[in-house]
Structures are given as structure tokens and as C-alpha cells.
């Protein structure tokens, strides 16, 4: 029987500094969250999961900026990100950012080529957090 893996969920105002791979989920939909939970069983190591939801009062723009700077990977649901419109381009500039959108009229791919259509693609792109 193998080692039981641990996922640390980090919400406002906390941070966690350790050697675990880390991901920031920005405004994930319920579908995104369910997909993430389904693929978590395939992770190869413990992870730190930062969650930012703009409808949560404790999740400030400053917290989002701080978390984005320290995590290994970022997932942004651009369609759910209305209040942080001004931060979208900044988040997309990181090559560690994956994004989901159904909007075709805004060419986000000029800034970032990591467009995904579901959370499984994110997990595959980071090899299920294999270290």
C-alpha cells in the first residue's frame, strides 16, 4: 500500500510555504471543481491548492496577486472572472497559467497559448503534479 497523498486547501488570508507543488484556481466553476476533485486521485505527490473566488469577500485582488507570484501553476476560468478583468492580461503573461474561456472574439492566445477546455488538460499538462 502506497503513501496516502495530501492536498492542502489554502484560502484567504492564509499562505503555505513548503516544497509541495502548488496550483492556484482562479474563479473555478462548479464543473471545474468537480473535475479537479476527480483527477486529484491521480496526483503523484502532495499539493497545495490555492483557491481564489472573486465573490468571497476575503479574496482580495492583493491576495490573488500574491498567490499568483508564489504558486507553480495557475488555472483561470476567464469567463467567471468579471471583477478582476484588469488582472486577466497579467495572469496570462505567466507561462505557468492555463486558462478556460468560451469567448472567441478576444484573442487571449496572443498572450498565452495554454488554453484548455477542462481541468483534465491542466492535470495532463503538469503531469499530475509529478515531481
Amino acid at each position: 500500500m502506497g503513501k496516502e497523498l495530501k492536498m492542502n486547501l489554502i484560502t484567504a488570508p492564509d499562505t503555505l510555504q513548503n516544497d509541495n507543488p502548488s496550483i492556484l484556481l482562479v474563479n473555478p466553476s462548479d464543473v471545474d471543481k468537480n473535475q479537479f476533485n476527480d483527477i486529484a486521485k491521480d496526483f503523484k505527490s502532495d499539493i497545495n491548492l490555492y483557491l481564489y473566488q472573486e465573490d468571497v469577500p476575503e479574496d482580495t485582488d492583493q491576495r490573488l496577486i500574491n498567490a499568483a507570484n508564489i504558486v507553480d501553476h495557475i488555472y483561470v476560468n476567464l469567463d467567471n472572472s468579471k471583477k478582476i478583468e484588469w488582472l486577466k492580461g497579467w495572469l496570462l503573461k505567466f507561462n505557468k497559467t492555463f486558462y478556460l474561456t468560451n469567448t472567441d472574439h478576444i484573442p487571449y492566445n496572443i498572450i498565452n497559448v495554454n488554453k484548455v477546455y477542462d481541468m483534465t488538460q491542466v492535470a495532463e499538462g503538469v503531469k499530475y503534479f509529478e515531481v
Side-chain angles (χ1 to χ4, degrees), residues 2 4 9 12 26 28 32 41 47 52-54 63 66 69 80 83 92 98 101 105 109 116 121 127:
E4 188 170 316
L9 175 61
V26 179
D32 297 334
K41 64 183 176 280
I47 69 159
Y52 172 88
Q53 299 176 110
E54 61 186 31
R63 180 177 181 272
N66 292 343
N69 279 315
N80 285 353
K83 294 180 184 173
L92 290 174
F98 297 86
T101 186
H105 68 281
N109 63 339
V116 295
Q121 288 181 291
K127 297 180 177 52

Side-chain angles (χ1 to χ4, degrees), residues 5-123:
L5 298 179
K6 182 170 67 172
M7 183 180 339
N8 298 307
L9 175 61
I10 304 146
T11 57
D14 299 325
T15 60
L16 180 60
Q17 306 282 328
N18 60 23
D19 292 331
N20 294 346
S22 56
I23 186 168
L24 167 62
L25 301 182
V26 179
N27 295 316
S29 68
D30 289 340
V31 170
D32 297 334
K33 291 175 191 175
N34 288 333
Q35 287 176 346
F36 189 85
N37 287 335
D38 288 342
I39 61 172
K41 64 183 176 280
D42 294 324
F43 289 165
K44 307 292 187 221
S45 66
D46 295 345
I47 69 159
N48 297 332
L49 173 63
Y50 285 81
L51 183 61
Y52 172 88
Q53 299 176 110
E54 61 186 31
D55 59 343
V56 174
E58 294 81 16
D59 279 341
T60 63
D61 295 349
Q62 187 60 54
R63 180 177 181 272
L64 173 59
I65 291 167
N66 292 343
N69 279 315
I70 64 171
V71 298
D72 300 308
H73 310 285
I74 301 169
Y75 168 80
V76 183
N77 185 318
L78 294 175
D79 297 340
N80 285 353
S81 299
K82 305 300 183 210
K83 294 180 184 173
I84 60 162
E85 187 78 32
W86 67 281
L87 280 173
K88 287 180 180 179
W90 182 79
L91 288 168
L92 290 174
K93 79 174 179 106
F94 293 107
N95 63 358
K96 63 184 177 180
T97 298
F98 297 86
Y99 66 96
L100 178 137
T101 186
N102 293 315
T103 302
D104 291 329
H105 68 281
I106 301 175
Y108 294 114
N109 63 339
I110 292 172
I111 302 171
N112 184 313
V113 296
N114 294 332
K115 181 177 180 178
V116 295
Y117 297 92
D118 61 34
M119 287 300 298
T120 304
Q121 288 181 291
V122 176

